[in-house]
Amino acid sequence: MKAATNLNDTLFVLFGASGDLAWRLVVPALFDLFIDGHLPSRFQLLAVDRSDKNDAEIALHFHQGITENSRRGEPAPEAWQTFAAMIRHIKLNVTSNEDFQRLADMLAETEQQWASQAVRIFYLATPSALFEPIATGLSTAGLSQDRSRVRLVVEKPLGNDIESFHKINDALCRIFEERQLFRIDHFLGKETVQNILAMRFANPIFEPIWNRHYVDHVVITVAETLGVEKRGSSYEQSGALRDMVQNHLLQLLCLVAMEPPVVYDADDVRGKKVDVLHAVRPIPKDAVDQFAARGQYGEGWIQGEKLAAYREELNVDPHSNTETYAALKLYVDNWRWQDVPFYLRTGKGMSNKVSEISIRFRDVPHHAFPASAGLNSQPTRLIIQIYPEQGIVLKFMAKEPGAQLRLRPVDMRFSYKEAFQTETPAAYETLLRDVMINDATLFMRADQVEAAWKLVMPVLEVWADNPAADFPNYAAGSWGPESADLLVASDGNSWLTPTLAKKPT
Ligand code: BG6
């Protein structure tokens, strides 16, 4: 385990240290970064929560989290000892200025020992209701002011609608500058998601056909097999549109539809992405049904296991109107994409866990081959696979070997695993490292989050005002409700079953 020599000494202050996010994702990612030599030699993890745990107890808690969730499994004893020695616990009540002052003293003390001014990263792995009090506490204790070395990381959801987003964001922006704020959308840290831009802009062959002249439509699918598990009470307040579409799916849309950046940096890439959101045709409130479909799973079987209906899950209202499935049909009104439908869908309790983007190209203008060559002619599709496969598949027609002229669809594949023969880092590793090197390219700027809220608000409002009469309307283990099929069928299209949805979760 070498340390990264190009990184400044770092104090990583993790609020919500006993929570699920810290345990499952943040600390395992930090540990994997440590093993790969991506942490600076002087690094401290300050675990902040309201518990009475001491340093050893919180370290033990993290050890379990790493064992269960790190891509490497249980830490080797020697590596663990070195990592555990960097962990300290601090009990803090977010309404207590004295507690924030104690935190400030601890940070100052460590910097004194190191004889350096460290980068200070405040990571809020807490409910968003605590963002404002924590930011205020940090400010009162003088911990927010040093713009160049203080960074604040926040998780989604940033609000529950555009109004609450403004409230939270305004509070953060009163205390921190935009360049200090790192808003996480973990999909942007996924290797295959980052590869979308590499594929589009590091190769000359895609760009000329990446437009309305060649692309017929685009399908973005993020399907999950799991139900809401123990998250019933918070999921009841969100639903699929807020939980997945407002952030992850719209970000995927931006990466597919954006113009080429002039330079690959935070300002330019995010500027080009927000241009896409601004170009999306607003969904009229009186025609939401033509652009959106919602669903809620009833009981069903997924890969041999029974899933109870959403309304029977823990902490879920037995008459719940919360959607566990959402689909949108969007148009990007600009020169490149005018009138090309982008179909987005996501759901829980679905047939397979699969995330992919399918670019469906236009049909050939004229069929020169005789009908005897094969009736199963299929359109050319480029599929960007995010999960479970990671790669790119081009589906096209080829001639079957033999004397007869027969055509058949075939696949040309690029697989990350086979091409690079190396393990891909978890999204959180990439994102945490980027915070440390102060690169915000893969993080959400305020205007992106705002534009995304604006886009989904008409649908959220209409759905809230008009409870669904047909919930539950899809069986767990299916591909979603019929209304979603009709949404695309009205254009003569279909969702198509995603490719290679092989691996059960
Ligand atoms: C989260 C959502 O942002 O993303 C969850 O809140 C969802 O509901 C998760 O399950 C999916 O992420 P991944 O990385 O497992 O595809």
Side-chain angles (χ1 to χ4, degrees):
M1 290 150 298
K2 281 186 279 158
T5 49
N6 59 338
L7 287 178
N8 294 318
D9 303 346
T10 302
L11 291 162
F12 192 99
V13 184
L14 179 58
F15 287 84
S18 291
D20 180 64
L21 178 67
W23 190 78
R24 231 169 14 92
L25 294 165
V26 182
V27 179
L30 283 174
F31 182 73
D32 281 330
L33 285 173
F34 165 69
I35 295 291
D36 286 337
H38 293 312
L39 291 190
S41 56
R42 287 199 291 209
F43 179 88
Q44 191 166 86
L45 169 57
L46 277 122
V48 182
D49 63 23
R50 299 185 61 171
S51 79
D52 289 314
K53 293 189 180 80
N54 59 30
D55 295 351
E57 284 164 343
I58 194 81
L60 180 65
H61 172 74
F62 289 156
H63 185 275
Q64 288 159 350
I66 293 167
T67 304
E68 284 190 32
N69 300 294
S70 142
R71 63 187 158 89
R72 295 191 169 87
E74 187 175 357
E78 196 190 326
W80 172 249
Q81 265 170 23
T82 317
F83 186 75
M86 301 195 267
I87 300 172
R88 289 185 71 185
H89 180 261
I90 172 166
K91 178 177 176 174
L92 180 144
N93 177 341
V94 298
T95 57
S96 159
N97 286 340
E98 291 83 62
D99 283 3
F100 276 99
Q101 194 49 56
R102 264 192 318 117
L103 172 64
D105 294 344
M106 266 175 99
L107 298 179
E109 191 189 305
T110 307
E111 286 183 354
Q112 218 173 10
Q113 282 165 14
W114 289 349
S116 79
Q117 295 224 304
V119 165
R120 294 171 168 192
I121 296 170
F122 298 104
Y123 193 113
L124 313 195
T126 66
S128 61
L130 297 183
F131 292 175
E132 186 172 353
I134 294 174
T136 309
L138 292 172
S139 164
T140 312
L143 286 171
S144 61
Q145 284 76 356
D146 193 335
R147 308 286 184 213
S148 61
R149 62 190 184 103
V150 173
R151 290 159 213 163
L152 187 82
V153 188
V154 290
E155 280 284 338
K156 77 171 241 296
L158 272 175
N160 207 35
D161 55 20
I162 194 152
E163 219 176 290
S164 50
F165 161 71
H166 280 144
K167 191 170 170 295
I168 295 171
N169 196 57
D170 290 352
L172 296 182
C173 292
R174 274 196 297 275
I175 294 168
F176 295 93
E177 283 181 5
E178 180 64 36
R179 69 187 161 113
Q180 294 178 275
L181 291 169
F182 290 74
R183 301 177 190 81
I184 288 201
D185 180 320
H186 79 278
F187 263 54
L188 298 179
K190 291 180 190 254
E191 279 293 323
T192 10
V193 172
Q194 292 178 66
N195 198 39
I196 298 172
L197 294 194
M199 184 201 74
R200 286 192 56 198
F201 302 132
N203 302 290
I205 64 163
F206 298 110
E207 198 45 23
I209 56 168
W210 210 259
N211 55 53
R212 63 193 303 273
H213 302 296
Y214 293 90
V215 175
D216 189 80
H217 64 267
V218 176
V219 176
I220 301 178
T221 300
V222 179
E224 298 182 273
T225 45
L226 294 177
V228 287
E229 299 186 295
K230 294 179 200 144
R231 291 173 58 206
S233 55
S234 68
Y235 197 83
E236 278 285 271
Q237 310 306 315
S238 59
L241 198 60
R242 287 188 175 93
D243 186 44
M244 298 292 288
V245 179
Q246 188 271 346
N247 34 75
H248 307 322
L249 276 88
L250 286 180
Q251 284 306 302
L252 295 179
L253 165 76
C254 287
L255 291 167
V256 172
M258 68 187 263
E259 294 301 316
V262 179
V263 277
Y264 187 77
D265 71 12
D267 275 342
D268 206 18
V269 170
R270 296 191 297 178
K272 294 290 190 295
K273 283 166 69 182
V274 85
D275 285 349
V276 174
L277 295 175
H278 288 153
V280 172
R281 192 180 301 169
I283 298 180
K285 276 183 88 169
D286 57 2
V288 160
D289 284 355
Q290 291 167 36
F291 294 93
R294 58 180 154 170
Q296 187 191 78
Y297 59 85
E299 66 169 21
W301 291 85
I302 304 177
Q303 289 148 15
E305 292 199 15
K306 188 160 185 184
L307 186 70
Y310 174 70
R311 288 178 175 181
E312 287 162 29
E313 302 256 31
L314 192 68
N315 297 325
V316 170
D317 177 355
H319 304 288
S320 174
N321 183 45
T322 302
E323 81 285 355
T324 58
Y325 176 102
L328 292 185
K329 168 163 59 172
L330 299 176
Y331 289 96
V332 179
D333 284 340
N334 61 19
W335 276 52
R336 187 189 284 269
W337 295 116
Q338 192 66 38
D339 294 332
V340 175
F342 285 78
Y343 303 114
L344 279 54
R345 65 171 166 172
T346 184
K348 295 206 182 279
M350 293 183 66
S351 165
N352 290 71
K353 180 163 168 77
V354 56
S355 301
E356 68 172 41
I357 301 169
S358 170
I359 318 286
R360 204 280 213 178
F361 291 93
R362 287 188 183 280
D363 289 334
V364 290
H366 165 68
H367 292 272
F369 297 103
S372 58
L375 294 174
N376 60 348
S377 170
Q378 284 189 11
T380 309
R381 284 198 294 146
L382 185 78
I383 294 162
I384 300 166
Q385 301 175 308
I386 299 168
Y387 189 90
E389 306 295 331
Q390 300 195 331
I392 295 171
V393 178
L394 182 66
K395 291 184 163 291
F396 60 102
M397 299 300 293
K399 181 189 170 302
E400 272 181 23
Q404 268 191 334
L405 177 62
R406 288 196 69 79
L407 301 175
R408 188 156 59 96
V410 291
D411 292 353
M412 200 156 89
R413 286 162 197 277
F414 152 69
S415 146
Y416 252 82
K417 222 192 284 162
E418 283 162 28
F420 296 113
Q421 312 227 322
T422 162
E423 245 188 287
T424 49
Y428 272 83
E429 290 172 55
T430 305
L431 296 174
L432 292 175
R433 184 156 181 272
D434 283 358
V435 178
M436 284 188 259
I437 61 174
N438 206 15
D439 181 349
T441 311
L442 301 179
F443 293 80
M444 303 288 292
R445 213 167 53 188
D447 54 351
Q448 291 176 284
V449 187
E450 183 186 38
W453 274 123
K454 230 184 233 170
L455 209 151
V456 297
M457 282 315 294
V459 183
L460 284 175
E461 285 168 3
V462 169
W463 283 359
D465 292 346
N466 300 280
D470 60 347
F471 279 2
N473 60 356
Y474 70 99
S478 70
W479 280 108
E482 205 186 328
S483 53
D485 294 342
L486 295 177
L487 191 72
V488 290
S490 60
D491 301 328
N493 295 323
S494 70
W495 290 106
L496 293 176
T497 303
T499 44
L500 305 176
K502 271 192 223 150
K503 219 195 265 175
T505 51

